Amino acid sequence: MSPRALSLRTLLFLGLCQTGKRSLASFPDLRDQPKRIAVVGAGIGGTAATYFLRQEFGTAVKIDVFEPSDVGGRMASVKIGDYEYETGGSVIHPLNLHMKHFIDKLGILQRKDVPSKMAIFDGKELTFEESDWFIINFLRLLWRYGFNFLRMQMWVESVLDKFMRIYQYQQFGYSFSSVEKLLHAMGGDSFLTLVNQTLEEAMLAEGFSQIFLNDIVAPITRVNYGQSVRINGFVGAVSLAGADSGLWAVDGGNKRVCSGLLYHSKAEVIPARVTAISVKVRPTKSGTTANYYEINYVGDSGSAHSLYDIVIIATPLHQGKSDISFSGFSPPIPSHYPGRYHLTVSTLVHGLLNVSYLGTTEQASEFVVSDVLTTDTKGSAINSLSSIDPVHIPPGYKRPPASQTKVWKVFSPQPLSQEQLRLMFLSWDSVSETQWLAYPAYSPPHRRTPPFILHDRLYYLNAVEWAASAMEMSAISARNLALLAHHRWHAQEAKIDQEDLHTRVRGEL
Ligand SMILES: Cc1cc2nc3c(=O)[nH]c(=O)nc-3n(C[C@H](O)[C@H](O)[C@H](O)COP(=O)(O)OP(=O)(O)OC[C@H]3O[C@@H](n4cnc5c(N)ncnc54)[C@H](O)[C@@H]3O)c2cc1C
């Protein structure tokens, strides 16, 4: 990373810490604030939206968050023995500035780092095993793939540099009315092209070799998104950034951020599932009419409904993910948008690995690889196999070698059968399986991304996942929607969908 880029990023981060100041100065007329806002879903998207809505609209507005299940959504953990382990979203990129800002604001620490070691498995043997020595890894990769590896890092860096612009725009209060406009503001036409072609097409066009894509890039997309190099180029670049060094997680579990944001925002959590949303119209003081929304929900104490001025939906509106019906809207809003979510099964096994499953002759006591990625081989039962550490690293903790019983996480496209488990493990004490409809099944060229604006004051946060699904993407979408809702409420058009922001914002700095 160049020193120039570093200092710009540092500046961005410092700026991001000042977001509260921008928001307070932005209230034009405190009498004119909405009275009630609803957020549907308490994953990172919904809880971050709650936090940013509070910043934008101030303390007087009542914010209700509907969540029928555990706060955290796809950020979840399970208890095995005395420890908790992440089963959903687990790692965070060092340049995910919203996630970083949240933990700083909430006074939560990063989890202590435990060094890891990666290998690649082609279904028969380990085709690559990371050495402790940087120079050995470098020479091996150079020998086999020429400069593909270095060029990949530069390619990802160039995408990331454009990606980082969003933080500057948001710091200055700019918002975007569609995913396409948000992407375009960050990376111009090149980002829109990336979303509409496969990662494979994008990288081949950049001169990367097919063998490099098969051997190195596919294992990374498989571990991060359970899919091949035919995912879209933008989510592909996000995935490759996820192979950078310096990834981190939240001490005590990532979902702590969600409950912390709710607490900090003084929002009320309603433990209920939203079943229907309908639009109503009421007259205003000035003699015009205004829209508001009736939310119907079902909780332990039965069904009920409430009225809101603004609603943010922070759960995917897709088959198998939610089932909300919308009535009274013209044009109609579907319960489910086209496209499906991809099944990734996360199986946590507390057991003894059968290292010979990986085709290695190494002694289990010497085998210290923590992350086994897999190539896109036909019939491959697993996407990845990782030795994982608890959400809180106790003092003196050292990751045990494969000769000892420990917790392994297997990502697979289907639940593992007993026979598959027996091939992978010599023995086990416990198996905990979570079937996730984890992220969109990406198949560019892209159908139109779902809208951010479903209706006048009804917004859809998870539309962003069709560009890329990640905790930080939901947080970026949350900030965007809080700004958008605020600007639309106060008719501040100059802060929505502005062109050429990159040059403009530099002038404002
Ligand atoms: C196995 C796995 C691994 C992943 N790894 C990573 C990773 O390492 N790094 C990373 O950045 N991202 C990762 N992700 C992706 C990341 O977890 C998600 O992009 C992110 O957590 C999505 O957050 P969200 O709040 O937008 O949605 P969700 O977390 O899905 O939250 C939506 C919430 O809405 C609730 N809900 C649904 N229907 C209703 C209703 N009708 N009424 C009220 N509430 C409702 C749900 O119960 C849920 O809590 C991973 C995901 C999975 C599944």
Side-chain angles (χ1 to χ4, degrees):
M1 188 193 301
S2 71
R4 184 197 58 78
L6 187 69
S7 59
L8 180 66
R9 285 168 183 177
T10 312
L11 205 66
L12 275 172
F13 180 61
L14 292 175
L16 198 73
C17 298
Q18 305 293 318
T19 47
K21 282 187 191 157
R22 192 210 71 74
S23 320
L24 287 176
S26 71
F27 294 143
D29 176 0
L30 285 173
R31 286 163 302 169
D32 191 26
Q33 296 294 330
K35 295 194 173 45
R36 289 169 64 99
I37 301 181
V39 176
V40 181
I44 186 63
T47 55
T50 307
Y51 172 81
F52 290 127
L53 285 163
R54 178 64 76 211
Q55 272 191 351
E56 291 304 316
F57 288 103
T59 49
V61 63
K62 180 171 188 322
I63 306 182
D64 289 343
V65 181
F66 292 90
E67 175 56 65
S69 189
D70 294 339
V71 167
R74 277 172 273 170
M75 287 155 78
S77 55
V78 292
K79 194 156 191 206
I80 298 178
D82 292 336
Y83 298 107
E84 294 267 337
Y85 297 85
E86 299 284 0
T87 168
S90 54
V91 290
I92 303 165
H93 191 272
L95 292 174
N96 284 175
L97 299 192
H98 284 316
M99 291 301 290
K100 181 86 184 56
H101 170 71
F102 294 153
I103 62 160
D104 289 348
K105 190 86 196 171
L106 298 172
I108 303 176
L109 296 176
Q110 290 188 15
R111 188 177 70 161
K112 256 195 268 161
D113 188 38
V114 184
S116 59
K117 214 169 144 191
M118 187 270 290
I120 296 177
F121 178 51
D122 70 356
K124 293 196 186 91
E125 58 180 356
L126 297 180
T127 52
F128 177 81
E129 194 173 331
E130 198 179 350
S131 159
D132 288 336
W133 298 90
F134 169 79
I135 189 70
I136 294 180
N137 294 324
F138 181 77
L139 290 176
R140 272 193 208 149
L141 291 167
L142 190 67
W143 171 254
R144 200 165 155 86
Y145 306 108
F147 286 102
N148 273 269
F149 204 81
L150 279 181
R151 288 189 39 239
M152 179 176 84
Q153 287 182 337
M154 286 160 65
W155 185 68
V156 172
E157 179 84 4
S158 72
V159 174
L160 208 53
D161 269 346
K162 290 181 181 150
F163 183 95
M164 300 299 287
R165 291 175 184 167
I166 190 62
Y167 298 113
Q168 248 178 328
Y169 304 158
Q170 295 192 330
Q171 180 194 334
F172 282 94
Y174 290 106
S175 62
F176 304 93
S177 65
S178 71
V179 176
E180 283 80 8
K181 287 191 170 133
L182 185 144
L183 289 175
H184 192 264
M186 287 197 272
D189 290 344
S190 70
F191 270 22
L192 295 180
T193 309
L194 266 184
V195 179
N196 282 301
Q197 63 183 168
T198 65
L199 178 64
E200 184 174 43
E201 285 162 352
M203 292 188 77
L204 288 177
E206 292 282 334
F208 290 94
S209 71
Q210 187 70 55
I211 181 160
F212 181 70
L213 282 163
N214 297 345
D215 291 3
I216 302 291
V217 178
I220 297 173
T221 59
R222 282 166 64 77
V223 65
N224 286 330
Y225 288 100
Q227 296 166 69
S228 73
V229 287
R230 286 173 294 284
I231 58 176
N232 83 59
F234 183 77
V235 70
V238 168
S239 182
L240 294 177
D244 272 356
S245 57
L247 300 179
W248 59 278
V250 177
D251 186 36
N254 293 332
K255 67 181 179 191
R256 281 183 72 200
V257 173
C258 300
S259 39
L261 289 175
L262 286 178
Y263 180 78
H264 188 274
S265 313
K266 298 191 170 57
E268 182 174 343
V269 181
I270 302 180
R273 185 168 58 85
V274 171
T275 52
I277 301 177
S278 53
V279 60
K280 309 276 170 193
V281 179
R282 70 173 155 220
T284 62
K285 270 189 256 169
S286 57
T288 55
T289 57
N291 292 315
Y292 64 108
Y293 302 97
E294 180 181 286
I295 289 195
N296 289 266
Y297 55 94
V298 182
D300 285 346
S301 44
S303 52
H305 62 88
S306 297
L307 301 174
Y308 296 94
D309 298 303
I310 295 174
V311 177
I312 308 264
I313 297 181
T315 179
L317 293 174
H318 282 273
Q319 193 76 48
K321 296 295 289 178
S322 66
D323 210 0
I324 303 170
S325 67
F326 296 88
S327 63
F329 294 95
S330 174
I333 300 171
S335 292
H336 300 138
Y337 278 90
R340 63 179 181 84
Y341 270 62
H342 182 87
L343 176 69
T344 287
V345 183
S346 170
T347 310
L348 270 56
V349 181
H350 184 234
L352 205 53
L353 184 73
N354 176 11
V355 285
S356 64
Y357 171 78
L358 299 170
T360 173
T361 51
E362 276 177 74
Q363 294 290 316
S365 54
E366 306 291 312
F367 190 77
V368 285
V369 167
S370 52
D371 298 288
V372 181
L373 277 50
T374 63
T375 54
D376 199 357
T377 319
K378 203 161 184 272
S380 173
I382 63 167
N383 295 335
S384 62
L385 166 74
S386 305
S387 161
I388 57 168
D389 307 305
V391 295
H392 174 72
I393 307 291
Y397 175 86
K398 258 184 93 180
R399 189 181 294 133
S403 53
Q404 293 177 28
T405 298
K406 57 177 171 169
V407 179
W408 295 89
K409 182 192 297 189
V410 185
F411 280 158
S412 58
Q414 295 296 329
L416 296 173
S417 65
Q418 287 293 308
E419 193 188 336
Q420 286 166 333
L421 280 171
R422 267 196 295 274
L423 285 173
M424 273 180 247
F425 296 95
L426 298 170
S427 63
W428 59 85
D429 313 325
S430 74
V431 174
S432 160
E433 179 192 275
T434 313
Q435 296 193 21
W436 293 107
L437 284 178
Y439 13 67
Y442 295 103
S443 54
H446 211 54
R447 279 176 287 231
R448 252 176 67 80
T449 310
F452 277 147
I453 305 173
L454 297 178
H455 188 255
D456 193 16
R457 293 163 182 176
L458 173 63
Y459 300 93
Y460 177 35
L461 185 144
N462 294 76
V464 85
E465 286 194 73
W466 291 84
S469 173
M471 298 176 228
E472 184 73 5
M473 290 302 292
S474 287
I476 286 173
S477 187
R479 178 118 175 88
N480 182 57
L481 291 193
L483 289 166
L484 189 63
H486 176 268
H487 301 332
R488 279 163 61 85
W489 181 271
H490 292 290
Q492 292 174 343
E493 300 297 327
K495 288 289 187 182
I496 304 173
D497 292 340
Q498 293 299 303
E499 296 285 330
D500 201 22
L501 270 185
H502 182 49
T503 334
R504 275 226 242 154
V505 160
R506 260 201 239 151
E508 286 183 43
L509 263 176

